[in-house]
Amino acid sequence: MAIYDLTKTPADSYDSHTHLNDDKLFHDVPAYIGRANEFRVMEMNIVGYDALANERALTIAQAHDNIYAVLGFQPEDTMAFDSAAAEKLEMQLQQEKVVGVGETGLDYYWETVAHDVQKEAFKKHLALAKKYDLPVIIHNRDAFSDVYDMLKASGVHKGVMHSFSGTPEQALAFVALGMHISFSGVVTFKKADDVRQAAQAVPLERLLVETDAPYLTPTPFRGKDNEPAFVKYVVDSLAETLNLSPKEMSDITRTNAHRLFLNHD
Ligand SMILES: [Zn+2]
């Protein structure tokens, strides 16, 4: 792997959404954290998506400083989100180092889980976010209007549209509901002009960066598994898009993450 030029980004970054709890990365958590720290990616959220991933996210977060857990059932795994699973999730959300509910939301692309089942689970996650005053981390694929309507009706006013890939208008609609917009390695892709346009529309104080590792590996490592260290390339690409320095971009997105997840600047 090429060594990242740290003189380009002399500031710490916060990966707001990563899956060291995924089978592809879980076998070597300390190495991935070590490499992230070498790249000055000092903080990250391990995001759950099913029962095992939630368990692992908690274990990783509770064993490491500056690493936090977000817990929930992603739309594709909501068949397993029965009342026992919901009760267990509610107990886990009250544990130390938990900073959000998710990922949750709606996915109408794969069509493996009925929309009604997904909606029921999303509604429950939104209710938990409200009850425990936690930000909600939303996965939205081809489901903009249902996600928007349900979020608006829920009264939840803080959270993240994760790995955003919609239009500038959609981004601003979510910003108006109080949401942050998180950009992934997709912003580094040559063909992603629409995503870069959306980034330009978002107020700076609502921007976040993420890897969604092991998925969505940024240029120049496409084809390999993604890892938290690579959020630096997302920062660089977003900085270029917004005519800011990589340091400014790191500082802005890190400060935003601190405010949203940790309640401090
Ligand atoms: Zn994810």
Side-chain angles (χ1 to χ4, degrees), residues 57-218:
L58 267 179
T59 303
I60 297 168
Q62 290 176 350
H64 298 91
D65 289 339
N66 304 317
I67 297 187
Y68 305 92
V70 171
L71 307 177
F73 283 68
Q74 69 173 2
E76 291 301 291
D77 286 298
T78 47
M79 290 299 280
F81 191 61
D82 55 16
S83 57
E87 258 174 53
K88 178 159 191 201
L89 176 63
E90 179 161 3
M91 272 166 41
Q92 290 173 319
L93 289 173
Q94 299 169 66
Q95 291 199 33
E96 254 178 77
K97 303 292 289 280
V98 176
V99 299
V101 177
E103 54 188 279
T104 180
L106 301 173
D107 190 318
Y108 295 170
Y109 177 79
W110 295 105
E111 297 291 3
T112 48
V113 179
H115 295 189
D116 283 355
V117 174
Q118 295 188 36
K119 283 182 178 175
E120 194 58 41
F122 184 32
K123 200 171 171 184
K124 185 100 205 200
H125 282 76
L126 288 166
L128 287 169
K130 192 165 165 92
K131 181 171 178 183
Y132 293 98
D133 193 27
L134 288 165
V136 64
I137 285 60
I138 295 183
H139 170 112
N140 161 35
R141 193 153 183 203
D142 296 348
F144 168 78
S145 54
D146 282 355
V147 167
Y148 178 85
D149 290 346
M150 288 182 68
L151 178 62
K152 191 170 182 185
S154 74
V156 173
H157 298 300
K158 62 178 176 184
V160 182
M161 300 312 297
H162 122 76
S163 187
F164 189 79
S165 62
T167 65
E169 292 73 24
Q170 290 173 346
L172 288 175
F174 286 122
V175 164
L177 291 185
M179 299 298 279
H180 285 65
I181 311 293
S182 181
F183 291 91
S184 65
V186 174
V187 287
T188 69
F189 299 172
K190 231 184 170 141
K191 286 183 179 159
D193 282 334
D194 47 341
V195 177
R196 285 184 285 273
Q197 275 166 20
Q200 287 166 338
V202 176
L204 292 179
E205 69 273 15
R206 295 294 184 85
L207 286 171
L208 295 173
V209 286
E210 66 173 79
T211 53
D212 201 20
Y215 311 104
L216 304 179
T217 309

Side-chain angles (χ1 to χ4, degrees), residues 232-250:
K232 283 300 200 195
Y233 298 94
V234 179
V235 168
D236 286 359
S237 176
L238 201 57
E240 199 183 320
T241 302
L242 301 179
N243 276 315
L244 294 166
S245 71
K247 179 184 180 340
E248 287 170 314
M249 206 65 251
S250 274

Side-chain angles (χ1 to χ4, degrees), residues 4-6 8-15 35-42 188 209-211 218-221 226-239 246-247 249-251 254:
Y4 186 83
D5 179 5
L6 281 172
K8 251 167 70 176
T9 316
D12 296 342
S13 296
Y14 192 128
D15 182 354
R35 192 140 68 192
N37 291 170
E38 273 174 45
F39 279 50
R40 291 187 66 170
V41 179
M42 305 309 288
T188 69
V209 286
E210 66 173 79
T211 53
T219 306
F221 295 113
N226 201 359
E227 60 176 89
F230 295 170
V231 85
K232 283 300 200 195
Y233 298 94
V234 179
V235 168
D236 286 359
S237 176
L238 201 57
K247 179 184 180 340
M249 206 65 251
S250 274
D251 287 344
R254 186 187 68 248

